[in-house]
Amino acid sequence: MMSLNSKANDSGLAKQKGSKASLLDKINPLIIVIVFLYVGITLLSDRFLDIGNQMNILRQVAVYLIIALGMTFVIASRGIDLSVGSSLGLCAMVLGTLIEAGTPVAIAMVVVVGLGTLIGAFNGLVITRFRINPLIVTLGMLVALRGATHFFMGGSIIRMPESLRFIGQGFIGFVPVPAIIALVATAFAYWLFFHTRFGRHTVSIGSNEDACQVLGIHVNRHKVAVYAFQGACVGLAAAIIVGRLNAASPSLGNLYELHIIAAVVLGGTALYGGVGTIGGTLLGILTIGILENGMVLIGADFHLQRVLLGFLLIFAVAYQEHRRRVIDTRAFSRIREAEE
């Protein structure tokens, strides 16, 4: 009887530990990181919790978040896009040129979102048609688009009209307009990723491309659509950043790809594909935005921010690989237990 009772107690404890472990697995660790950041930065700067500064954080991260939503789809499909920063710079240049020529803001924005979509679709077509690694294709586009922006625009800066400035600088109530646009975009991306065939196929292709082809999914066509969606996100973000800065300059979007990829990977979207999370991307963007804002408030050197961001990306990838090994080990253990 004693042995039976002890076994029952052991199994009960095991179940409790298992339930706690599964609960912890469901909690994104970035929530804890954000809480610690808030506490730590608040102790170092009395300006951090000011409502104006909090709204400034939301305004700053909005552009990154919109681009990161598209990047979540790209990385979940086992792709990558290093050209988002250069694409944003080119879209901003075209937007400024159109507005300077007298084009209505609404039409100029539609054109720029369309241009971003075309750039993304071109990336997808080259990747799928010629079977070139996405890293190489988008790295080439990073250089080409940045060069084209500087060639056509030179060093000039184009000022924006009031209507576009409202999109980048305005408020509805006390909430910045860019933050509202970013939250709407996040809700749409969440629906698209988790509740549509487009999202399911994106994850499936990232998990097993060959199996998707056997099941009749048009893999190449879908990849082009994913990169086109990424491009549309870049075009929308370009309109917001130009309105926020009240100018279009050839240097816009420089190193944005580092922020975007770091935030997406930090949020839990796997570089090896097949795993993606919109909520995690939102948390990843907020983590980097809060961290950068706090470092500015405490007077940290700009280049130190770049160092920290680079190490964050390395840490995120290392953490993903560790978590993947843990999951694989657990799955293997369950199989062994089932066989015994």
Side-chain angles (χ1 to χ4, degrees):
M1 285 294 290
M2 290 292 291
S3 61
L4 288 175
N5 289 334
S6 62
K7 285 183 180 179
N9 290 333
D10 290 343
S11 63
L13 288 171
K15 286 181 180 179
Q16 288 180 357
K17 290 179 180 178
S19 63
K20 289 179 181 178
S22 62
L23 180 62
L24 289 173
D25 286 342
K26 292 177 181 178
I27 298 175
N28 194 308
L30 287 184
I31 295 176
I32 301 171
V33 172
I34 289 174
V35 171
F36 273 105
L37 283 175
Y38 261 88
V39 173
I41 299 172
T42 301
L43 293 174
L44 294 172
S45 172
D46 55 0
R47 293 180 295 160
F48 178 69
L49 288 181
D50 290 349
I51 187 66
N53 184 61
Q54 295 302 303
M55 293 303 103
N56 187 45
I57 292 174
L58 292 180
R59 189 189 298 110
Q60 288 175 340
V61 302
V63 171
Y64 290 131
L65 176 57
I66 291 171
I67 302 174
L69 295 173
M71 187 68 78
T72 303
F73 283 79
V74 171
I75 294 179
S77 68
R78 200 178 289 184
I80 197 75
D81 190 350
L82 299 179
S83 68
V84 289
S86 297
S87 179
L88 182 135
L90 181 65
C91 287
M93 179 203 72
V94 171
L95 178 65
T97 303
L98 288 173
I99 290 176
E100 191 178 46
T103 306
V105 170
I107 295 176
M109 286 182 62
V110 170
V111 170
V112 164
V113 172
L115 174 62
T117 304
L118 286 174
I119 292 172
F122 178 79
N123 283 337
L125 280 170
V126 174
I127 290 166
T128 55
R129 182 63 61 89
F130 299 102
R131 299 186 179 279
I132 305 175
N133 190 300
L135 187 71
I136 302 302
V137 173
T138 57
L139 180 61
M141 287 295 287
L142 179 154
V143 178
L145 294 176
R146 184 64 67 190
T149 302
H150 280 278
F151 177 78
F152 288 110
M153 194 172 181
S156 61
I157 297 177
I158 304 171
R159 301 296 176 183
M160 295 297 112
E162 182 65 32
S163 54
L164 189 62
R165 289 201 296 272
F166 176 76
I167 294 173
Q169 302 175 12
F171 286 82
I172 295 179
F174 62 89
V175 182
V177 172
I180 294 173
I181 296 173
L183 288 175
V184 172
T186 302
F188 174 75
Y190 184 90
W191 170 79
L192 192 66
F193 195 85
F194 291 106
H195 298 286
T196 69
R197 182 181 296 178
F198 183 82
R200 290 192 296 271
H201 285 182
T202 298
V203 174
S204 299
I205 289 171
S207 298
N208 194 326
E209 185 175 319
D210 294 334
C212 290
Q213 289 177 335
V214 172
L215 292 172
I217 298 174
H218 297 286
V219 173
N220 288 348
R221 188 187 305 171
H222 188 87
K223 284 185 176 180
V224 172
V226 167
Y227 279 94
F229 176 68
Q230 167 75 95
C233 291
V234 171
L236 176 60
I240 295 174
I241 189 65
V242 168
R244 181 163 72 85
L245 299 177
N246 189 30
S249 71
S251 62
L252 275 181
N254 191 32
L255 292 181
Y256 271 35
E257 55 279 347
L258 179 59
H259 283 78
I260 303 306
I261 295 172
V264 172
V265 175
L266 196 63
T269 298
L271 279 173
Y272 49 80
V275 178
T277 164
I278 299 299
T281 294
L282 172 61
L283 291 174
I285 287 290
L286 284 174
T287 300
I288 293 176
I290 292 166
L291 186 62
E292 289 190 333
N293 178 268
M295 293 185 73
V296 170
L297 290 178
I298 64 177
D301 187 85
F302 171 78
H303 298 292
L304 181 61
Q305 296 178 33
R306 303 276 76 76
V307 171
L308 187 58
L309 188 60
F311 278 114
L312 264 178
L313 180 56
I314 295 171
F315 167 77
V317 175
Y319 175 75
Q320 272 193 5
E321 289 300 318
H322 169 72
R323 193 170 185 179
R324 184 184 185 186
R325 286 194 296 269
V326 169
I327 292 172
D328 290 344
T329 302
R330 288 178 182 173
F332 181 72
S333 298
R334 291 193 192 100
I335 293 171
R336 289 284 300 273
E337 289 175 2
E339 289 176 349
E340 292 176 356

